[in-house]
Amino acid sequence: MSAVAAAGQSGGDSGVTECFTPMTGGHGAVDDMLDAENKRMAENLVTKVSRLKSLAYDIDREADDQNEYLDNMDSNFLSATGLLSGSVKRFSTMVRSSRDNRRILCYVSVGLVLVFFLLYYLISRIQR
């Protein structure tokens, strides 16, 4: 036991026991302040956790949307690849065929290039 506590228990000095009384009340006020601060900080923590939870939910939803978008792009690319491979096969077959088909192919190619330039010229004239 400390000397101050022993003096307080012996009853020899009433001033020592009075010194303990305000401190006990002071400790209760400090405990109340700490408790109030802990409650305030806990409420802040709950707010932050709920914000993080909603943010994580939004990120999850966005990731699901992006994955669905990428899956759709994959299927679109596969279908475009199928169309292009079919077109290349038909073009190869046409090129390997007889001489008359080659002449027709040349005329069609030149015609398409001329139509492209004609449309380009007309559109550029309209926009001016």
Side-chain angles (χ1 to χ4, degrees), residues 20-39:
F20 279 98
T21 307
M23 289 184 78
T24 308
H27 282 300
V30 170
D31 287 343
D32 289 343
M33 281 185 3
L34 289 176
D35 191 38
E37 175 127 6
N38 281 342
K39 286 179 183 178

Side-chain angles (χ1 to χ4, degrees), residues 73-93:
M73 279 182 58
D74 185 40
S75 65
N76 289 341
F77 278 125
L78 286 176
S79 65
T81 302
L83 286 172
L84 287 175
S85 65
S87 299
V88 168
K89 285 180 186 176
R90 285 191 292 276
F91 185 76
S92 297
T93 304

